[in-house]
Amino acid sequence: MSTFLLLVGAVVGIAYLFRHIVVKGKQCNSKARLVGKTVIVTGSNTGIGKSTAIDLAKRGARVILACRSVQRGQAALEEVKRESGSNQVVFMPLDLGSLKSVCSFAENFLKSEPRLDILINNAGIFVQGRTEDGLGMMFGVNHIGHFLLTNLLLDRLKECGPSRVVSVSSAGHNFGKINFDCLNTHKALGIGTSSMDVFQFYCDSKLCNVLFTHELAKRLKGTKATCYSLHPGAINTELARNTSSVLQMLLKPMTVFFWKNTVQGSQTTLHCALQEGIEPLNGRYFSNCTVRELYAKAKDDAAAKKLWELSERLCGLA
């Protein structure tokens, strides 16, 4: 019995160390104050987006919560104000699955806000379907919506430099691929509906985020704006809320023991948004508050340029 108890104790101890040392990860060390600065955080009504918004508001930034759901956005607005102690927090509706909504958001923002110092493309979904514009849902929301938003706000970002664009990707991009034939034919990353198909298309959309940042960095050369993409870690958020109940049940133990909470998960986003001196790393990819090397497909100049030009056509910029 004593041997069994010792074994159980050892397992619990290892799990504790893994949870608090390996899983927790590094913290953003920047002490930057953001009084007089304006930040947009998409998808900031929940998860790491909300934790990011709270941190930035505590630093004195004027924070724009850009969210699809008015009800959830208003609730998040009150929570972010309460947790940060700041009244410089505003909710503005934004549906990244609607090109019309993205254009309306950008127009309203540019009319009402004189500055934009940091744009955090945080929102993401894990669900198959179609946007109102006929795009594949994950391609449309995770990539095209943010692509259009960034381009519509780019002049303001350049005017307010030094400024930054931070795009939340995922290590899943390593499993991604870009099927340009499918994009041209179906305006989607793929057309399957199985669980494995959905996972693949999610990874594909995250590869789009990294390639978008790679190409954007080239286009920002000579300006005071820089951009970064990142993997936040495995986070216990609502990202999988649209998956099957069986899958959610199977994932539950992992979320408790091996996944970061939202505050821990927001640290690399904050690092990319705030850390002093990373401007020479324009266009690079970060994980655990550290710059990382990418596989060749994630920094392919030709693929990044091709995706950019296709994205311009699909959202009406070309």
Side-chain angles (χ1 to χ4, degrees), residues 1-314:
M1 186 66 176
S2 59
T3 302
F4 174 75
L5 290 175
L6 286 172
L7 180 60
V8 170
V11 170
V12 171
I14 292 171
Y16 178 87
L17 288 172
F18 187 87
R19 176 75 181 85
H20 289 272
I21 297 176
V22 179
V23 175
K24 185 177 179 181
K26 294 182 180 179
Q27 287 187 301
C28 171
N29 293 320
S30 173
K31 305 299 183 185
R33 296 291 299 165
L34 300 175
V35 176
K37 306 290 187 181
T38 300
V39 184
I40 294 174
V41 186
T42 69
S44 43
N45 62 292
T46 187
I48 62 175
K50 184 164 64 177
S51 292
T52 300
I54 291 170
D55 186 289
L56 296 170
K58 285 180 178 179
R59 294 171 184 265
R62 180 169 175 79
V63 179
I64 312 298
L65 308 180
C67 318
R68 180 179 61 85
S69 169
V70 174
Q71 181 179 359
R72 289 161 64 97
Q74 292 287 1
L77 175 64
E78 296 308 312
E79 183 178 351
V80 173
K81 284 183 175 181
R82 184 176 65 252
E83 293 294 321
S84 66
S86 170
N87 285 320
Q88 288 297 306
V89 186
V90 179
F91 164 68
M92 293 180 64
L94 169 66
D95 181 357
L96 290 160
S98 164
L99 299 179
K100 181 180 178 181
S101 175
V102 176
C103 290
S104 177
F105 173 91
E107 182 181 2
N108 291 335
F109 175 84
L110 292 171
K111 284 181 179 178
S112 62
E113 299 290 336
R115 296 193 62 85
L116 179 57
D117 301 273
I118 305 171
L119 170 61
I120 299 180
N121 293 322
N122 166 81
I125 60 169
F126 187 95
V127 61
Q128 188 64 315
R130 290 277 172 177
T131 69
E132 68 174 47
D133 303 292
L135 304 172
M137 186 65 77
M138 283 186 281
F139 177 64
V141 173
N142 296 355
H143 170 63
I144 288 292
H146 282 131
F147 175 87
L148 177 58
L149 178 67
T150 303
N151 275 279
L152 293 176
L153 299 176
L154 211 49
D155 285 344
R156 182 62 55 83
L157 281 160
K158 291 175 182 177
E159 291 169 6
C160 298
S163 56
R164 296 183 183 183
V165 178
V166 178
S167 295
V168 179
S169 179
S170 164
H173 83 271
N174 288 313
F175 303 103
K177 63 183 189 307
I178 309 296
N179 185 335
F180 285 103
D181 289 336
C182 190
L183 283 174
N184 282 308
T185 304
H186 301 287
K187 298 182 181 180
L189 292 161
I191 55 175
T193 57
S194 72
S195 295
M196 287 305 298
D197 287 331
V198 175
F199 175 73
Q200 181 62 60
F201 304 150
Y202 175 77
C203 293
D204 298 345
S205 74
K206 296 291 99 179
L207 178 57
C208 288
N209 296 153
V210 179
L211 288 171
F212 162 63
T213 300
H214 182 75
E215 178 66 18
L216 178 60
K218 295 179 181 297
R219 295 168 184 258
L220 290 176
K221 284 183 178 178
T223 75
K224 292 184 178 180
T226 53
C227 59
Y228 314 91
S229 63
L230 66 101
H231 169 56
I235 316 295
N236 186 8
T237 70
E238 297 181 14
L239 180 65
R241 62 184 178 271
N242 295 307
T243 60
S244 71
S245 57
V246 174
L247 178 58
Q248 291 183 44
M249 182 179 68
L250 291 173
L251 289 174
K252 190 63 177 177
M254 294 178 64
T255 66
V256 174
F257 293 106
F258 303 112
W259 290 12
K260 295 178 180 180
N261 61 40
T262 58
V263 173
Q264 294 162 349
S266 67
Q267 296 306 302
T268 303
T269 300
L270 293 167
H271 177 86
C272 290
L274 304 173
Q275 188 61 44
E276 300 82 355
I278 65 170
E279 288 78 9
L281 299 174
N282 184 27
R284 299 290 297 276
Y285 171 82
F286 288 74
S287 177
N288 199 24
C289 298
T290 305
V291 68
R292 305 291 186 183
E293 290 301 322
L294 292 165
Y295 289 121
K297 66 178 178 181
K299 52 183 178 181
D300 184 313
D301 290 339
K305 186 172 186 291
K306 189 173 182 179
L307 177 64
W308 186 283
E309 293 171 349
L310 173 64
S311 300
E312 284 183 321
R313 293 198 302 273
L314 289 176

